[in-house]
Amino acid sequence: MSDDKIHFNGSHHLIHDFKHYQTLYQQSIDTPDAFWGEVGQRLDWFSPYTTVANAHFKDNHEIKWYEDGTLNACYNCIDRHLPDKANDTAITWQGDNPDTYQRITYQALYNAVGKFANGLKSLGVKKGDRVIIYLPMIPEAAYAMLACARIGAVHSVVFGGFSAESLASRIKDCQAAYVITADFSTRGGKRIPLKNNVNKALESTSDIVKRVITIYTDGDNDNNGNSGSNSHDYSEDIPANTEREIAYHTLINAQSPDCEPAVMNAEDPLFILYTSGSTGTPKGVLHTTGGYLVYAAYTHEVLFDYRPGELFWCTADVGWITGHTYMIYGPLANGANTLLYEGIPTYPTPARFWQICEQHRVNIFYTAPTAIRSLMTEGEQYATGHNLSSLRILGSVGEPINVEAWQWYHQHIGNKTCPIVDTWWQTETGGHMIAPIPYVWDQVPGKATLPFFGVKPVLLDEKGQEITAPDHEGSLAFKHSWPGQMRTVYGDHQRFIDTYFQTFPGYYFSGDGAIRDADGYIRITGRVDDILNISGHRMGTAELEDAFNLHPKVAETAVVGYPHDIKGQGLYVYATLFKGETPSDELKKELVAWIREKIGPIATPDKLHFTPELPRTRSGKIMRRILRKIAENDIDGIGDVSTLANPAIVETLIKTRIA
Ligand code: 6R9
């Protein structure tokens, strides 16, 4: 069945029309080496590659692209633009405070990154060392990532909303001897202490972490691109171990801005980013240098139709893959002007996003459906009160966009003239996989539509057979590698194989379900595994349950998602207690505080349901399907429960369901 399509007037600067896309797409599938060999030329290589793809979805599951080429990601994001763009803005930084912003030119970026890189070197950071970056959305977050890339250190950015314990587990997993942080994060007018979390994390990682670099943020960002007075007396804030601690401004003060970029092999690691899986602790998704950067830059240019001089704003936090690929690496590799916003969508008012779009004349705006839905409930008057005429392209990422949110975005933000690029991809894929190329084909609200070049999606049935008939839902998998694909789970290649290639041998399995219409347009239906997507944040139910179960009063938990108007999915937690413990509002509060400390505020349950037991099969397996139905209030959908070991509990759960 085909839906009504929406047409946007305009033309793409690279892809002339649909036929052109089809021709290029076919080439990219039939002759990937030729196709990606040419695309790879968009980067500057120190020594050229002579091979392109060497990737296997079987046997050793080794994925290599451009494997004998050498390059440096930071050089590609900065140095090579200097001859033409030294005085062009690379980063437009907008502070949480509406009066505070900076325009950082490519030259200023070069200087800041070079000093930081030399500073890191002076502390002993070497090629291959892991560096944890735990920072708010300040320019130094970009400097830190690029400085690592410059010297070949492997950064791992940890989202500032994660707790001390989450931070510690990541430090341990990748054995990071260096941590870069800030005293505070400022969001919505409030200062949230970050360094305190680092101090707490250090209690269990002091044998691993050698140096901690702290950026003191108070009042040192002004509107002239001058960041960093050195007036802060940091001695009072710093706990005992002064040998380990160093203030950022002290570190970079006397450094030269010139730092020779390290010569990296295309397959040398660029970064590790932790993401939730359906089992166990978060996985360290490893991306390497050459393929990732080619893919980031190319998808950024094609899918946003990015043109020189335009201002591109991706609202994601730097702690997520979207912040890596479409706030930092993609745009800067393309010599773009990329906007970094420190604050939240609703401060000082729900007009903030639109006020920033107007103030800085944003051309391309990329955000998550959850943000659109929450601003939608505030009313369109916040948007209509601003001049949004600079906007040309809109984007969506992180979760399926519902038709209502799509229409609101289209009408009130895009003035019905801006294509909406609904981009489906994952931390693991490095960049966009399925999304409409703006102007090149007509769109259907809620459909990510067609694959990007080189991407061969298939829908598989339970037996692993490819579904070719239209309008049948299946598991979304991919037949061939693409340059931006993750290479391994850091330190655990077997986990990489088990997670992504075991369900359907020979394919990369995404964990998502999808349905394809007669035009080949794909609509993503959501995760088919035990991963939740709360406000576009990925969370594994197993990881959450493990954290709850550590609480001394909790015997067992089962965490499921249910449809939530704004967050997409809400978090419903069923908990059983140890004998002698009684459910109470007090205990509820205790458990909420517990999970916020174990994982972070993003894991705060929406509903917490105490129950004497969980429904189980005779073999003892928790019946999550039933728990999901109850959470969704789909009581009719529960079906037959007579085969359960304890069928009576279902009735009790329905009666005590948290509405
Ligand atoms: C980039 C990012 C990945 C999961 C993915 C899927 C969901 C992302 C989507 C989407 C429908 C879209 N997802 N984009 N679902 N439409 N346009 O979000 O990475 O945090 O790893 O999440 O997010 O379920 O599998 P990540």
Side-chain angles (χ1 to χ4, degrees):
M1 192 186 72
S2 299
D3 310 68
D4 285 343
K5 297 199 170 121
I6 297 180
H7 177 76
F8 292 93
N9 285 323
S11 59
H12 192 281
H13 79 294
L14 288 178
I15 317 297
H16 319 313
D17 53 24
F18 189 57
K19 219 164 163 250
H20 188 201
Y21 159 78
Q22 285 178 307
T23 309
L24 288 175
Y25 180 74
Q26 210 50 49
Q27 284 172 8
S28 74
I29 298 298
D30 296 343
T31 51
D33 280 6
F35 183 87
W36 289 112
E38 197 180 316
V39 174
Q41 296 299 317
R42 62 185 300 125
L43 298 186
D44 280 14
W45 298 79
F46 294 145
S47 59
Y49 47 85
T50 62
T51 65
V52 182
N54 181 10
H56 307 275
F57 282 10
K58 285 198 197 111
D59 304 325
N60 60 9
H61 298 82
E62 274 192 18
I63 316 268
K64 292 178 178 168
W65 284 84
Y66 310 107
E67 61 185 296
D68 59 348
T70 63
L71 76 167
N72 182 282
C74 177
Y75 178 92
N76 273 282
C77 288
I78 306 176
D79 306 42
R80 66 175 181 144
H81 305 311
L82 291 178
D84 307 326
K85 295 192 164 161
N87 298 319
D88 289 4
T89 305
I91 296 175
T92 301
W93 180 75
Q94 174 59 56
D96 184 61
N97 174 346
D99 299 329
T100 309
Y101 66 90
Q102 289 182 41
R103 293 206 175 95
I104 300 148
T105 63
Y106 273 94
Q107 185 64 55
L109 184 61
Y110 172 91
N111 295 348
V113 169
K115 281 171 165 246
F116 207 160
N118 281 324
L120 292 175
K121 268 187 169 173
S122 75
L123 298 180
V125 184
K126 291 183 304 296
K127 198 173 183 167
D129 286 348
R130 277 81 54 221
V131 177
I132 292 272
I133 299 177
Y134 185 62
L135 285 175
M137 293 284 287
I138 52 178
E140 289 82 357
Y143 305 162
M145 291 165 77
L146 292 163
C148 287
R150 193 160 190 93
I151 63 174
V154 183
H155 60 70
S156 185
V157 183
V158 176
F159 172 55
F162 278 127
S163 67
E165 287 198 30
S166 296
L167 175 63
S169 78
R170 286 155 173 79
I171 293 173
K172 286 176 200 160
D173 188 80
C174 71
Q175 293 285 304
Y178 305 91
V179 175
I180 302 171
T181 189
D183 52 354
F184 289 100
S185 144
T186 308
R187 286 163 60 80
K190 293 193 202 96
R191 302 223 302 170
I192 305 139
L194 269 190
K195 182 63 181 12
N196 281 353
N197 285 347
V198 175
N199 293 347
K200 258 189 246 161
L202 285 169
E203 288 168 14
S204 63
T205 58
S206 59
D207 53 333
I208 304 170
V209 178
K210 285 197 285 205
R211 302 305 299 253
V212 176
I213 300 152
T214 304
I215 295 155
Y216 290 92
T217 50
D218 38 38
D220 61 3
N221 287 311
D222 63 29
N223 291 348
N224 307 317
N226 302 320
S227 154
S229 61
N230 197 15
S231 56
H232 184 90
D233 174 15
Y234 53 87
S235 53
E236 338 165 351
D237 314 77
I238 290 178
N241 191 342
T242 42
E243 262 171 39
R244 186 167 55 201
E245 305 279 344
I246 183 156
Y248 167 70
H249 295 119
T250 311
L251 177 71
I252 61 156
N253 231 350
Q255 299 294 343
S256 152
D258 299 314
C259 173
E260 194 62 30
V263 176
M264 305 301 286
N265 183 271
E267 283 303 332
D268 281 336
L270 179 62
F271 65 84
I272 300 166
L273 190 57
Y274 285 86
T275 191
S276 296
S278 49
T279 56
T281 49
K283 299 180 287 274
V285 169
L286 184 93
H287 282 288
T288 56
T289 310
Y292 170 80
L293 197 63
V294 168
Y295 201 70
Y298 190 49
T299 49
H300 173 259
E301 179 170 356
V302 174
L303 280 166
F304 296 116
D305 185 28
Y306 183 82
R307 302 172 191 192
E310 288 192 319
L311 177 58
F312 178 84
W313 182 15
C314 164
T315 69
D317 190 277
V318 70
W320 309 116
I321 190 69
T322 308
H324 282 57
T325 306
Y326 297 110
M327 198 167 62
I328 306 293
Y329 286 112
L332 294 177
N334 289 337
N337 180 357
T338 182
L339 194 144
L340 252 81
Y341 171 45
E342 185 180 34
I344 59 173
T346 47
Y347 175 82
T349 75
R352 190 68 196 278
F353 272 2
W354 323 125
Q355 178 266 317
I356 294 174
C357 284
E358 175 174 357
Q359 180 188 349
H360 294 287
R361 307 289 298 154
V362 172
N363 303 108
I364 304 168
F365 177 75
Y366 188 34
T367 196
T370 189
I372 299 166
R373 285 191 298 264
S374 83
L375 295 175
M376 192 168 98
T377 61
E378 303 278 355
E380 66 256 20
Q381 70 275 15
Y382 291 105
T384 42
H386 287 276
N387 179 352
L388 299 177
S389 61
S390 59
L391 290 175
R392 189 169 68 80
I393 307 261
L394 303 175
S396 172
V397 61
E399 42 176 329
I401 179 163
N402 50 312
V403 173
E404 199 190 353
W406 196 101
Q407 290 291 6
W408 189 87
Y409 200 24
H410 174 53
Q411 189 175 341
H412 299 294
I413 309 305
N415 192 26
K416 295 195 171 172
T417 62
C418 303
I420 297 179
V421 191
D422 176 5
T423 61
W424 180 89
W425 60 296
Q426 310 178 291
T427 306
E428 293 89 338
T429 70
H432 301 147
M433 298 287 278
I434 303 174
I437 300 181
Y439 309 120
V440 176
W441 56 82
D442 294 347
Q443 292 182 227
V444 176
K447 292 195 179 181
T449 72
L450 300 172
F452 190 65
F453 302 123
V455 170
K456 180 80 185 150
V458 292
L459 300 185
L460 302 174
D461 65 19
E462 302 89 64
K463 295 197 190 98
Q465 301 295 315
E466 292 187 17
I467 301 170
T468 47
D471 302 324
H472 282 74
E473 193 167 347
S475 295
L476 178 63
F478 296 88
K479 241 178 152 152
H480 310 296
S481 182
W482 60 98
Q485 183 172 21
M486 75 181 281
R487 302 305 197 250
T488 192
V489 170
Y490 184 75
D492 195 350
H493 196 61
Q494 191 57 45
R495 191 169 176 201
F496 173 63
I497 299 171
D498 294 347
T499 309
Y500 303 104
F501 300 96
Q502 199 189 43
T503 324
F504 302 109
Y507 297 92
Y508 166 85
F509 174 43
S510 67
D512 278 45
I515 186 160
R516 185 161 38 198
D517 69 17
D519 297 317
Y521 279 20
I522 291 170
R523 182 165 67 80
I524 307 295
T525 50
R527 301 291 305 196
V528 294
D529 55 12
D530 285 327
I531 294 180
L532 305 179
N533 191 327
I534 316 277
S535 300
H537 297 156
R538 256 169 85 161
M539 267 177 281
T541 51
E543 179 193 350
L544 294 168
E545 288 162 10
D546 289 348
F548 276 117
N549 297 349
L550 286 173
H551 189 281
K553 293 178 187 163
V554 172
E556 196 176 29
T557 46
V559 176
V560 299
Y562 68 95
H564 187 288
D565 283 351
I566 289 172
K567 298 172 162 190
Q569 267 188 314
L571 208 81
Y572 196 114
V573 181
Y574 297 90
T576 65
L577 302 176
F578 280 120
K579 279 214 176 74
E581 303 296 345
T582 11
S584 66
D585 284 346
E586 258 336 272
L587 185 55
K588 258 190 194 179
K589 281 192 200 129
E590 209 177 301
L591 291 183
V592 168
W594 176 267
I595 199 74
R596 289 171 69 96
E597 197 177 311
K598 289 277 162 204
I599 302 206
I602 58 172
T604 307
D606 294 284
K607 296 177 182 180
L608 183 53
H609 187 164
F610 291 118
T611 168
E613 47 187 307
L614 296 167
R616 292 181 186 279
T617 61
R618 295 232 164 90
S619 62
K621 228 172 154 273
I622 297 174
M623 283 299 286
R624 294 174 175 282
R625 195 185 54 77
I626 292 176
L627 294 173
R628 267 196 293 268
K629 291 288 174 199
I630 296 172
E632 288 166 8
N633 201 17
D634 177 11
I635 307 304
D636 293 341
I638 294 176
D640 182 23
V641 298
S642 60
T643 58
L644 291 182
N646 53 351
I649 192 63
V650 176
E651 209 38 54
T652 312
L653 283 170
I654 293 170
K655 278 201 203 111
T656 50
R657 174 179 174 272
I658 317 274

